[in-house]
Amino acid sequence: MKQRLPILGNRYSGCYERGSEEYESIYAYQLVKLRPALLKVLMLPYDYIVVFDGDTIVEILNENDESVMTGLV
C-alpha cells in the first residue's frame, strides 16, 4: 500500500508516494486544504522542521536541528 507523505519545497509543496519515484507539485494552499494542521507552521523559516503526530505538533526544530518547542497542541 502506498502512503502519501508531504514534502515542502521552496516554491511549491508536493507529495511523495512510498514505492514510487514520482513527485507531484502542488501549491501550499492545496496542501493546506488536504492537511489543515499545516497552516499553523507555514510561517516558520524555510529551514525549520516540524514533527507531527497526525494533526498534532510534537516538536519544532530550528536550522541547527535544536528543539525550540515541544508538546504543542
Side-chain angles (χ1 to χ4, degrees):
M1 180 168 77
K2 294 183 180 181
Q3 244 184 340
R4 296 181 77 83
L5 302 173
I7 305 295
L8 300 177
N10 194 15
R11 290 184 51 202
Y12 300 102
S13 296
C15 293
Y16 171 74
E17 289 189 33
R18 287 188 183 159
S20 172
E21 294 300 320
E22 297 179 30
Y23 292 89
E24 175 187 351
S25 293
I26 62 174
Y27 290 99
Y29 76 87
Q30 294 169 311
L31 185 59
V32 169
K33 188 174 181 179
L34 297 171
R35 298 267 324 263
L38 297 178
L39 185 60
K40 298 176 187 176
V41 297
L42 284 180
M43 297 302 288
L44 289 173
Y46 172 74
D47 46 4
Y48 274 43
I49 297 172
V50 181
V51 180
F52 282 89
D53 180 11
D55 286 338
T56 303
I57 298 172
V58 176
E59 188 171 15
I60 299 176
L61 305 169
N62 66 13
E63 68 277 2
N64 299 316
D65 292 335
E66 301 166 334
S67 181
V68 292
M69 296 189 127
T70 58
L72 299 175
V73 176

